């Protein structure tokens, strides 16, 4: 009886249903496997051609492109012979994509100049599993070795240089030997390409297939990956030292991103995709192309100004196109990742990766942390943790590569956080302006110099995470994220203090919220600070004492105010980042104005009634106000200021016309900021003034909108959608 009631519907096995299923099978392109075979064959042929045509693997130690082949060397130097670097006792050289065939001849050019009081050098070269003892001379010599064929030599020939060290007077370094270059030449033409690089080309082609899946015609779906493989092969032949070492890394990044985006799209609801012809995509690609002109030195001198102006115009055009439209998070993350990976490629191709002097400084701080426990630095002790982790392999080159990758992950988190706050705000009010603030940060190339060589994106990402957690009423996680962010760079603690004031004002209604928030913050700060304080209390307090005694810098707002009364200070300051000695009264005025501004924002956080969105906006603006009015200003602060303004604009639910104004002001500020540093112009004081005027105008506009923000409870009553936040009373 039971089974009789479980008869399948007639349509289940009807002819119509069968035809429908058959048509679904036919919808799969009949030549899918043939296309994959073509792509794989193209990857093999291109790898073979590039291996034969490209120059033999060469590592020019001391040149900018040695970041892909040198490990364990000191900083770059040069002499009459060429560029070189000292080993520090244990160094390595990797010659990638030599190809498989006969044996190889490996040449190493090095020297070991030492003063008479230093012991004679003893060097051991480890190549192909064989140790060779070498006694290098004081002058430059070429040493030649025969490397046998076999796997994995065709993928990478690795040479290890071990030596005793000596310490020069007035130098902290332990120096081994000088290495100028290493080269591998095959005896005869290589028969087969590197397996790793062939698979890398195949992975890039498959990732391109995934990217071009929206192209209707199947022939175009095959043409896109073939074009990508061909471009990679051409670049490999043209710039082998810059391409071959990084091709597997880029294949891994692109393949992983393609898989993650594919999974996200399957889980997301269906919607109209953002095509490559959208203004946002065109603006992003155009901005990165202009950035490459500056990085490669093609646009230099007076040409930098119109290039940066064009970048700002593209950013405004691309972001304005997103105003009033709802974009998926996947589309925004794809734009952000594309901008940063293309920017990384331009720096690798031009040999400019790690060119920022702060990269060397951060690496030294990280190594000092591993060796000493707690060095004396001007940054909060929590910043030593990521630097030490990145410096753990003991390679400046890997550190320079890892820093922009970490900042890329932080930037993706920032884009996600801005979009999340905008989407949450959209859930309580009508409007489709959630995508524009996140789109601005995703596509703007005007922050790339700080993404490449600074670390401000990491604490800023934690600031954004803390505000998103607060918006989702995850108070413990919010306090923890802001606590860790403040341990990396103090400003997130200001946002935490503003949120704590708002929660304290609403403690009668939410008694446990403040407790959870404070507990998360205290635990995070204790975990990142107490270990360092136990090592050396005096060194732990050094950043606070060092920052407290600093004078006004030329990049700050207060230097512009000083020029009004004493214009001759401009002639005394050779560079914007120099310090300006002023009287204590002027420093007192700067601190008083800064404190008054922060106090005003804090009092606004205590205002009743207190919409939760306004509290989030005011908390985001606290770090921005502090940095703009600080007597010590650095151009990389624009990262935190921009993110704070974008989060505040998303939190207050700014209308379209206000969003456009804020985007325009921030784009002008970012462009002017780049003319102060790193593209310093002779009229940098005017650029600095433009930057401060536009940024403070955007900040003032957001503060006014935060004061006029409607009660969230009333918004909820009008639009009954996902009440993630409530009106704190």
């Amino acid at each position: 009886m039971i089974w009789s009631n479980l008869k399948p519907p007639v349509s289940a096995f009807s002819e119509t249903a069968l035809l429908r299923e058959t048509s679904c099978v036919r919808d799969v392109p009949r030549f899918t496997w043939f296309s994959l075979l073509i792509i794989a064959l193209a990857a093999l042929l291109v790898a073979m051609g590039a291996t034969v045509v490209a120059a033999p693997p060469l590592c020019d130690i001391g040149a900018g492109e040695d970041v892909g082949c040198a490990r364990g060397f000191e900083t770059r130097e040069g002499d009459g012979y060429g560029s070189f670097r000292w080993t520090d006792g244990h160094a390595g050289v990797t010659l990638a994509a030599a190809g498989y065939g006969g044996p190889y001849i490996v040449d190493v050019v090095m020297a070991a100049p030492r003063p008479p009081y230093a012991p004679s050098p003893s060097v051991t070269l480890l190549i192909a599993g064989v140790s060779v003892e070498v006694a290098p001379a004081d002058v430059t010599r070429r040493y030649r070795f025969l490397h046998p064929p076999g796997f994995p030599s065709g993928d990478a020939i690795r040479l290890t240089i071990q030596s005793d060290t000596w310490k020069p007077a007035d130098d902290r370094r332990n120096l081994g030997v000088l290495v100028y270059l290493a080269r591998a030449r095959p005896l005869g033409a290589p028969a087969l390409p590197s397996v790793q690089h062939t698979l890398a080309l195949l992975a890039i082609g498959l990732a391109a297939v995934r990217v071009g899946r929206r192209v209707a015609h199947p022939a175009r779906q095959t043409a896109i990956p073939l074009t990508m493989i061909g471009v990679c092969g051409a670049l490999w032949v043209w710039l082998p030292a810059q391409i071959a070492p990084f091709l597997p890394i880029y294949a891994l990044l692109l393949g992983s991103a393609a898989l993650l985006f594919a999974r996200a799209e399957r889980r997301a609801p269906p919607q109209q995709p953002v095509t490559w012809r959208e203004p946002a995509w065109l603006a992003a690609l155009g901005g990165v192309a202009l950035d490459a002109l500056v990085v490669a030195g093609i646009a230099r001198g007076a040409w930098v100004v119109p290039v940066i102006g064009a970048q700002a115009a593209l950013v405004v055009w691309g972001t304005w196109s997103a105003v009033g439209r709802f974009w998926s998070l996947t589309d925004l993350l794809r734009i952000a990742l594309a901008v940063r990976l293309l920017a990384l490629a331009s720096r690798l191709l031009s040999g400019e990766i790690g060119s920022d002097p702060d990269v060397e400084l951060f690496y030294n701080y990280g190594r000092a942390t591993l060796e000493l426990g707690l060095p004396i630095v001007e940054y909060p002790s929590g910043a030593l943790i990521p630097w030490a982790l990145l410096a753990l392999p003991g390679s400046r080159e890997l550190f320079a590569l890892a820093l922009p990758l970490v900042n890329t992950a932080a930037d993706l988190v920032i884009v996600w956080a801005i979009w999340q706050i905008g989407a949450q705000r959209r859930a309580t009010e009508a409007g489709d302006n959630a995508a524009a603030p996140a789109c601005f940060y995703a596509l703007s190339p005007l922050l790339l110099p700080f993404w490449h060589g600074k670390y401000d994106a990491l604490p800023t990402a934690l600031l954004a995470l803390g505000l998103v957690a607060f918006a989702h009423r995850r108070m413990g996680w919010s306090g923890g994220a802001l606590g860790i962010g403040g341990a990396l760079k103090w400003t997130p603690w200001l946002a935490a203090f503003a949120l704590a004031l708002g929660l304290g004002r609403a403690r009668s209604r939410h008694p446990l919220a403040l407790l959870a928030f404070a507990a998360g913050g205290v635990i995070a700060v204790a975990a990142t600070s107490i270990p360092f304080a136990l090592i050396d209390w005096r060194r732990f307090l050094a950043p606070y004492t060092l920052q407290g005694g600093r004078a006004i810098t030329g990049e700050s707002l207060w230097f512009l105010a000083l020029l009004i009364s004493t214009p001759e200070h401009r002639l005394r300051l050779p560079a914007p980042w120099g310090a300006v000695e002023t009287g204590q009264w002027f420093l007192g005025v700067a601190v008083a104005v800064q404190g008054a501004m922060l106090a005003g924002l804090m009092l606004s956080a205590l205002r009743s009634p207190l919409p939760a969105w306004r509290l989030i906006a005011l908390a985001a603006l606290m770090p921005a106000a502090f940095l703009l009015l600080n007597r010590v200003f650095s151009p990389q602060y624009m990262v935190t200021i921009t993110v704070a303004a974008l989060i505040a604009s998303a939190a207050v639910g700014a209308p379209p016309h206000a969003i456009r104004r804020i985007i325009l002001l921030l784009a002008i500020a970012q462009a002017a900021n780049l003319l102060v540093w790193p593209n310093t112009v002779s009229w940098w004081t005017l650029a600095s003034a433009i930057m401060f005027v536009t940024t403070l105008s955007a900040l003032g506009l957001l503060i006014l909108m935060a004061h006029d923000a409607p009660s969230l409870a009333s918004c909820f009553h009008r639009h009954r959608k996902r009440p993630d936040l409530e009106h704190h009373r």
Side-chain angles (χ1 to χ4, degrees):
M1 189 67 178
I2 296 176
W3 292 104
S4 65
N5 293 330
L6 295 178
K7 293 181 180 179
V10 177
S11 61
F13 299 104
S14 64
E15 183 179 357
T16 304
L18 185 61
L19 289 175
R20 188 185 303 115
E21 296 296 327
T22 307
S23 65
C24 291
V25 174
R26 286 201 304 265
D27 286 342
V28 179
R30 279 181 263 178
F31 58 93
T32 297
W33 291 105
F34 179 73
S35 300
L36 294 178
L37 181 62
I38 291 295
I39 294 171
L41 183 61
L44 177 61
L45 293 178
V46 168
M48 291 181 65
T51 304
V52 173
V53 177
L58 169 68
C59 185
D60 188 359
I61 310 290
E65 58 267 18
D66 70 350
V67 69
C69 56
R71 300 290 182 268
F73 288 86
E74 293 291 341
T75 54
R76 297 183 177 97
E77 301 179 53
D79 58 12
Y81 188 88
S83 60
F84 68 86
R85 294 172 73 176
W86 287 94
T87 68
D88 56 1
H90 186 91
V93 178
T94 301
L95 303 173
Y100 291 93
Y104 313 90
I105 294 178
V106 179
D107 293 328
V108 182
V109 178
M110 59 183 179
R114 295 194 177 183
Y117 64 83
S120 300
S122 174
V123 179
T124 301
L125 296 177
L126 181 63
I127 181 170
V130 179
S131 298
V132 180
E133 298 290 337
V134 177
D138 292 345
V139 296
T140 304
R141 297 280 178 85
R142 183 184 301 271
Y143 301 86
R144 179 163 292 177
F145 308 92
L146 183 65
H147 192 290
F151 185 82
S153 300
D155 282 30
I157 296 175
R158 292 180 172 83
L159 173 67
T160 302
I161 305 172
Q162 298 176 344
S163 67
D164 56 353
T165 60
W166 63 288
K167 192 176 183 65
D170 301 328
D171 196 333
R172 59 170 182 79
R173 300 177 298 172
N174 293 313
L175 305 180
V177 296
L178 294 178
V179 182
Y180 289 86
L181 65 86
R183 177 190 290 114
R185 294 186 293 108
L187 288 176
L192 292 173
S194 160
V195 176
Q196 190 179 36
H197 289 72
T198 304
L199 293 177
L201 289 175
L202 176 60
I204 291 174
L206 295 178
V209 169
R210 185 62 200 174
V211 171
R213 69 197 178 282
R214 295 191 177 103
V215 180
H217 199 279
R220 294 179 183 176
Q221 294 182 4
T222 307
I224 292 175
L226 293 180
T227 302
M228 287 290 296
I229 293 173
V231 169
C232 291
L235 290 175
W236 182 355
V237 172
W238 181 31
L239 301 169
Q242 292 93 321
I243 293 297
F246 304 109
L247 198 59
I249 298 176
Y250 254 84
L252 179 62
L253 292 174
L254 292 176
S256 302
L259 291 176
L260 290 176
F261 285 134
R263 176 168 180 167
E265 288 173 356
R266 285 195 299 267
R267 299 178 62 181
Q271 59 183 4
Q272 183 67 26
V274 177
T275 65
W276 299 93
R277 293 184 293 272
E278 289 280 348
W281 267 111
L282 297 177
L285 298 177
V288 173
L290 293 173
D291 173 75
L293 295 180
V294 177
V295 170
I298 299 174
R300 63 180 66 185
W303 285 102
V304 172
V305 178
V307 167
I308 293 177
Q311 286 180 312
L314 286 172
V315 169
V316 173
W317 173 58
T319 309
W320 279 11
S321 70
V323 176
R325 298 179 55 188
F326 180 76
W327 284 22
S328 70
L329 176 62
T330 304
D331 289 324
L332 295 174
L333 292 178
R334 188 181 286 114
I335 292 176
L337 184 62
V339 167
R340 283 142 187 86
L341 289 183
L342 290 173
L344 181 62
S346 68
R347 282 157 176 79
L348 291 175
L349 292 176
S350 59
E352 292 297 320
I353 193 73
S355 58
D356 193 313
D358 278 354
V359 176
E360 176 72 16
L361 179 68
F362 297 157
Y363 172 78
N364 290 333
Y365 283 158
R367 291 304 306 174
T369 303
L370 296 173
E371 297 169 5
L372 304 177
L374 180 61
I376 297 178
V377 296
E378 61 184 86
Y379 299 94
S381 56
L384 298 173
I385 298 175
W387 296 339
L389 292 175
L390 295 179
L392 199 58
S395 170
R396 287 175 170 81
E397 301 78 20
L398 288 178
F399 189 96
L401 283 172
L403 183 60
L405 293 179
V406 170
N407 285 337
T408 297
D411 281 349
L412 295 180
V413 171
I414 290 171
V415 172
W416 171 83
I418 298 172
W419 185 88
Q420 274 286 331
I421 290 178
Q424 289 291 100
R425 182 62 164 157
R426 180 176 174 269
T428 60
E429 280 195 356
D432 289 322
N433 298 319
C439 183
F440 176 81
Y441 190 83
L443 65 84
S444 176
L446 301 172
L447 296 176
L448 290 177
F450 317 116
W451 155 87
H452 164 238
K454 312 297 181 184
Y455 84 106
D456 294 69
L458 186 56
T460 304
L462 290 166
L463 168 66
L465 276 177
L467 295 175
V468 170
F470 188 89
H472 285 273
R473 302 188 61 79
R474 302 293 188 266
M475 298 306 174
W477 291 107
S478 176
L482 294 173
I484 297 175
L488 296 179
K489 207 160 190 177
W490 294 295
T491 50
W493 286 346
L494 295 172
F497 187 68
L499 294 178
L501 288 178
L503 290 175
R505 183 71 177 82
R507 65 183 179 274
S508 60
R509 180 165 181 174
H510 304 283
L512 297 180
L514 179 59
L515 180 61
F517 183 82
V522 170
I523 292 173
V525 173
T528 53
S529 300
I530 288 181
F532 293 107
L534 294 177
I535 293 175
D536 191 320
W537 179 253
R538 182 182 59 85
R539 293 186 176 187
F540 174 75
L541 294 178
Y544 304 90
T545 57
L546 290 174
Q547 293 292 341
R550 295 187 65 177
I552 290 174
T553 60
E555 297 164 317
S556 68
L557 174 66
W558 299 105
F559 178 72
L560 299 177
L562 190 64
L563 289 180
I564 298 175
S565 59
T566 52
E568 60 272 13
H569 277 290
R570 173 65 179 85
L571 302 176
R572 301 175 190 170
L573 194 67
W577 49 87
V580 181
E581 295 299 332
T582 60
Q584 289 297 321
W585 68 271
F586 195 81
L587 292 177
V589 169
V591 173
V593 173
Q594 184 184 38
M597 180 66 176
L598 297 178
L601 292 176
M602 292 176 186
L603 290 176
S604 297
L606 293 173
R607 181 179 155 195
S608 179
L610 183 65
W613 289 117
R614 185 164 64 83
L615 178 60
I616 292 175
L618 291 175
L621 294 176
M622 287 278 287
F626 173 84
L627 294 173
L628 284 171
L629 297 177
N630 198 31
R631 67 177 184 270
V632 177
F633 186 87
S634 295
Q636 64 263 26
Y637 294 170
M638 187 56 65
V639 175
T640 304
I641 294 169
T642 298
V643 173
L646 295 174
I647 289 177
S649 64
V652 300
H657 67 276
I659 286 285
R660 290 190 176 93
R661 291 175 186 173
I662 292 169
I663 294 303
L664 178 61
L665 291 172
L666 290 178
I668 295 173
Q670 289 182 358
N673 188 52
L674 291 184
L675 299 179
V676 179
W677 190 93
N679 309 291
T680 308
V681 293
S682 59
W683 42 275
W684 61 266
T685 51
L686 176 60
S688 179
I690 294 173
M691 186 271 292
F692 279 110
V693 168
T694 52
T695 310
L696 289 172
S697 299
L699 204 68
L701 181 61
L702 289 168
I703 291 174
L704 291 176
M705 285 191 291
H707 277 280
D708 295 335
S711 170
L712 193 68
S714 61
C715 296
F716 171 66
H717 287 307
R718 290 198 305 268
H719 309 277
R720 293 194 173 270
K721 299 179 182 179
R722 298 177 58 193
D724 291 291
L725 289 174
E726 294 179 9
H727 189 176
H728 299 304
R729 295 190 185 276

